[in-house]
């Protein structure tokens, strides 16, 4: 294995790969190169196609190394337990318990080994479990050149948790014709549908005067902001919707009497309804300006689109994922994602990229845990996809 790490990352130490191995070439992007979050941190790797498979579409696997900022992850204090069911005492001294009342999903893993923390840090399975599955697949094919496969492309990204995971991604440099992210989700999860997403930014220009002499003078931007939010349907919010139901979601309100701003998310799986929601937000802006004398500016910016919009033109990509999971003995759970994935943005670059599970539970919290069998199965699906790549001649 030949490695060219970026200056600020020890690729071998972070990814657990050995530069003495043969057949795998990896390269990191220098932080001084243009583009992306701080300009660097992405690592690419390749294993060339075996003889006879050179014309098969190149397969890519992608995972992200960063972990959520929602809880401390440094250092992760983890251990492996034999889970026999019931509540899990993570930290007896501090009284931190993973209870079935709050986390009932863990019950079905009774009888398996679980990786847990001491309740004071993240585990980091989101998405270092994905990185582990990816790297183990790379190692397998580097160690077994006799196994036929197309060109295999591997990518580990930073900054996914802050929305910048693909900021420095270069499709041409990566070189894959189709790809899969390995990120999040319990065993069996296959993500082929996501939300369409847009961000509404509403700016309110108030007029501040001393409250003692404010009559017929003051225009309170905070009142404008609350008026704006109140004009959206109260039932169409995240806490009252599920499945394919879209929503409006105010995420921040900042400002003062003189000036305020509201940021509001629009989400919907259905393309037509997504456009209707954006039109509704613009209409609210027009109504607000009539009511408040032209003091409101509303902008609507698309963020990403439903993954299915891109995958429908490449049916073999999704079909291959389903077949790989079947071959691995994994029951498929294919449900609409009430969010987005890095695959949405990568797919918009012309590289169809659904997502499959890394196997963990309760991400972004100190209760995060990882069934060992689920991680093993994530690796098995990744390896099977690589094996199947030798059989694929077209993605349509």
């Amino acid at each position: 294995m030949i490695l060219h790490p970026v200056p600020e990352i020890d690729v071998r130490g972070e990814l657990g790969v050995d530069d003495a191995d043969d057949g795998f070439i990896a390269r990191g992007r220098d932080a001084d190169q243009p583009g992306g979050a701080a300009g660097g941190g992405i690592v690419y790797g390749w294993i060339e196609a075996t003889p006879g498979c050179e014309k098969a579409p190149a397969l890519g696997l992608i995972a992200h190394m960063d972990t959520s900022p929602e809880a401390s992850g440094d250092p992760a204090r983890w251990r492996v337990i034999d889970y026999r069911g019931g509540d899990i005492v993570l930290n007896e001294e501090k009284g931190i318990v993973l209870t079935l009342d709050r986390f009932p999903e863990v019950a079905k893993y009774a009888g398996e080994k679980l990786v847990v923390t001491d309740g004071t840090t993240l585990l980091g399975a989101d998405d270092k479990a994905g990185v582990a599955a990816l790297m183990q697949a790379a190692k397998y094919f580097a160690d077994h050149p006799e196994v036929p496969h197309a060109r295999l492309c591997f990518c580990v990204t930073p900054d996914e948790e802050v929305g910048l995971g693909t900021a420095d991604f270069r499709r041409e440099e990566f070189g894959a014709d189709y790809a899969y992210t390995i990120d999040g989700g319990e065993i069996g999860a296959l993500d082929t549908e996501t939300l369409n997403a847009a961000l509404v930014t509403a700016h309110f220009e108030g007029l501040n005067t001393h409250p003692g002499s404010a009559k017929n003078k003051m225009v309170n931007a905070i009142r404008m902001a609350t008026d704006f939010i109140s004009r959206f349907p109260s039932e169409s919010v995240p806490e009252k919707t599920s499945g394919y139901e879209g929503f409006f979601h105010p995420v921040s309100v900042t400002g003062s009497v003189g000036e305020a701003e509201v940021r509001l998310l629009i989400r919907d799986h259905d393309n037509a309804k997504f456009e209707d929601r954006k039109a509704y937000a613009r209409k609210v802006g027009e109504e607000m300006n009539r009511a408040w004398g032209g003091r409101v500016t509303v902008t609507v910016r698309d963020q990403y689109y439903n993954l299915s919009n891109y995958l429908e033109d490449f049916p073999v990509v999704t079909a291959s994922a389903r077949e790989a999971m079947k071959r691995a003995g994994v029951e498929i759970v294919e449900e609409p994602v009430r969010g987005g994935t890095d695959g949405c943005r990568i797919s918009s670059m012309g590289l169809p990229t659904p997502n499959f599970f890394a196997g963990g539970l309760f991400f972004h919290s100190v209760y995060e845990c990882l069934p060992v069998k689920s991680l093993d199965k994530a690796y098995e699906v990744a390896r099977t996809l690589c094996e199947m790549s030798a059989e694929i001649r077209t993605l349509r």
Side-chain angles (χ1 to χ4, degrees):
M1 185 181 297
I2 302 171
L3 294 169
H4 305 280
V6 296
E8 64 276 24
I9 295 179
D10 179 350
V11 179
R12 285 165 290 183
E14 291 289 344
L15 300 188
V17 294
D18 184 351
D19 63 358
D21 296 334
D22 293 326
F24 184 87
I25 301 173
R27 178 168 68 250
R29 294 185 65 82
D30 193 299
D32 292 330
Q33 293 176 342
I42 286 185
V43 176
Y44 299 112
W46 304 270
I47 299 177
E48 295 305 322
T50 54
C53 297
E54 294 89 350
K55 294 184 178 180
L59 165 67
L61 295 176
I62 303 168
H64 68 89
M65 191 190 302
D66 62 307
T67 58
S68 171
E70 298 296 324
S72 172
D74 186 24
R77 300 182 178 91
W78 60 272
R79 70 186 192 278
V80 180
I81 65 170
D82 290 311
Y83 180 51
R84 303 186 184 281
D87 295 349
I88 302 173
V89 179
L90 300 178
N91 193 313
E92 186 172 1
E93 179 183 352
K94 296 186 177 181
I96 302 173
V97 181
L98 192 161
T99 65
L100 291 183
D101 285 345
R102 180 165 292 181
F103 302 102
E105 297 88 349
V106 76
K108 60 178 170 287
Y109 296 98
E112 297 188 22
K113 293 184 180 296
L114 297 183
V115 188
V116 300
T117 74
D118 69 350
T120 65
T121 70
L122 292 168
L123 177 60
D126 179 15
D127 183 36
K128 293 187 179 182
V131 174
L134 178 155
M135 291 306 302
Q136 191 66 21
K139 184 179 188 303
Y140 176 85
F141 289 97
D143 290 346
H144 295 276
E146 75 281 3
V147 179
H149 58 78
R151 187 176 195 242
L152 304 179
C153 309
F154 304 91
C155 178
V156 177
T157 67
D159 302 330
E160 188 271 350
E161 298 291 358
V162 292
L164 296 171
T166 61
D168 197 40
F169 182 85
R170 301 291 182 264
R171 178 197 169 192
E172 294 77 13
E173 185 171 0
F174 185 42
D177 296 302
Y178 66 111
Y180 302 90
T181 52
I182 313 172
D183 184 14
E186 291 188 67
I187 184 171
L190 175 60
D191 302 331
T192 59
E193 290 185 89
T194 65
L195 290 165
N196 294 296
L199 172 66
V200 178
T201 303
H203 183 81
F204 308 98
E205 181 184 351
L207 194 161
N208 196 8
T209 65
H210 191 285
S213 56
K215 187 174 181 179
N216 297 326
K217 300 182 183 69
M218 178 183 288
V219 181
N220 192 322
I222 296 174
R223 297 191 189 281
M224 281 194 278
T226 58
D227 183 13
F228 179 79
I229 294 172
S230 73
R231 291 173 185 254
F232 289 86
S234 61
E235 297 300 311
S236 189
V237 293
E239 57 268 37
K240 295 182 180 181
T241 55
S242 62
Y244 283 102
E245 297 172 317
F247 55 83
F248 298 102
H249 180 34
V251 292
S252 72
V253 181
T254 59
S256 60
V257 172
E259 186 177 30
E261 182 179 276
V262 169
R263 290 163 62 88
L264 178 143
L265 305 182
I266 292 176
R267 300 290 189 264
D268 209 299
H269 290 92
D270 184 273
N271 294 337
K273 292 179 179 178
F274 178 57
E275 294 301 323
D276 289 345
R277 287 181 182 276
K278 291 189 291 181
Y280 185 92
R282 295 186 182 100
K283 180 181 177 182
V284 169
E286 294 170 0
E287 293 172 349
M288 289 283 296
N289 270 319
R290 287 194 292 270
W292 291 90
R295 293 177 172 271
V296 180
T297 303
V298 173
T299 59
V300 181
R301 177 175 62 85
D302 289 353
Q303 296 175 299
Y304 57 84
Y305 303 105
N306 191 333
L307 183 57
S308 67
N309 294 336
Y310 308 105
L311 297 182
E312 61 188 14
D313 292 330
F314 303 96
V316 173
V317 177
T318 302
S320 295
R322 296 187 185 111
E323 179 61 24
M325 294 173 88
K326 290 177 183 177
R327 294 187 189 184
V330 173
E331 183 178 347
I332 299 170
V333 181
E334 196 168 348
E335 297 177 343
V337 178
R338 288 183 62 77
T341 69
D342 272 355
C344 297
R345 294 183 176 90
I346 294 172
S347 294
S348 73
M349 302 175 191
L351 177 60
T353 307
N355 178 73
F356 68 88
F357 68 95
L361 295 86
F362 319 134
F363 295 144
H364 297 196
S365 83
V366 296
Y367 299 97
E368 184 183 13
C369 63
L370 175 66
V372 173
K373 180 181 177 181
S374 298
L375 176 57
D376 288 341
K377 286 297 183 180
Y379 155 66
E380 190 174 344
V381 171
R383 191 193 71 218
T384 303
L385 282 165
C386 294
E387 292 170 345
M388 290 173 57
S389 68
E391 309 166 12
I392 294 176
R393 293 295 176 264
T394 178
L395 302 178
R396 297 182 183 274

